[in-house]
Amino acid sequence: MQTGKLVALMIMAALIGYMIDRVILMFNKSLTKWRFVQ
């Protein structure tokens, strides 16, 4: 078992998922500005 590689891949997957989430949130805010008006 290659525990080091497994942990590194898990961290990379988490970071990529977080970045995709941030990009989609920014895209959503730019398309639906009326929903985020305070």
Side-chain angles (χ1 to χ4, degrees), residues 1-9:
M1 303 218 26
Q2 299 175 344
T3 308
K5 280 187 179 179
L6 184 62
V7 170
L9 286 172

Side-chain angles (χ1 to χ4, degrees), residues 24-38:
I24 290 174
L25 185 63
M26 285 185 348
F27 190 64
N28 190 14
K29 281 187 178 183
S30 69
L31 286 178
T32 58
K33 292 180 182 178
W34 53 271
R35 290 179 58 199
F36 297 97
V37 173
Q38 297 279 334

Side-chain angles (χ1 to χ4, degrees), residues 13-28:
L15 289 174
I16 290 170
Y18 179 77
M19 291 298 169
I20 290 172
D21 180 56
R22 292 287 112 189
V23 168
I24 290 174
L25 185 63
M26 285 185 348
F27 190 64
N28 190 14

